[in-house]
Amino acid sequence: MITFVNCSAKYRDRVLFQPDWGFFDMAVGERISSVFNGAADKDAYNQVALVPKERTIKVPSTPKRERLENLYAQVRKIREGQNWL
């Protein structure tokens, strides 16, 4: 995070940030590893956490399913270059 003091930001004719708005915080990084939808401070924006109507489908475990998941794990190890034998 880099904080700029007395910062102005414009894109063409559009003002994006003015010094009288306070400090300008810029996130700097190589990549985005995860995201979260919505404001970081929900109380500041009077937002409430929304609970999705859909629920995660939980597949019951069976011996056949366990064998399939074991095969998936072996493929992952091969893909990641781990010793899988």
Side-chain angles (χ1 to χ4, degrees), residues 14-80:
R14 184 175 174 198
V15 175
L16 302 175
F17 196 84
Q18 295 180 359
D20 57 328
W21 296 352
F23 299 137
F24 181 80
D25 294 323
M26 179 187 293
V28 180
E30 182 177 329
R31 65 184 172 158
I32 299 172
S33 58
S34 67
V35 297
F36 176 77
N37 181 24
D41 184 1
K42 292 191 185 315
D43 294 335
Y45 295 96
N46 295 324
Q47 293 182 341
V48 294
L50 300 176
V51 177
K53 294 177 185 175
E54 302 85 20
R55 295 289 179 203
T56 302
I57 298 171
K58 297 184 180 177
V59 179
S61 182
T62 64
K64 183 177 179 181
R65 180 82 185 176
E66 288 177 13
R67 286 193 304 274
L68 177 62
E69 290 177 2
N70 186 30
L71 289 172
Y72 287 147
Q74 290 177 26
V75 170
R76 176 181 296 124
K77 287 181 181 181
I78 294 169
R79 186 176 58 238
E80 294 174 352

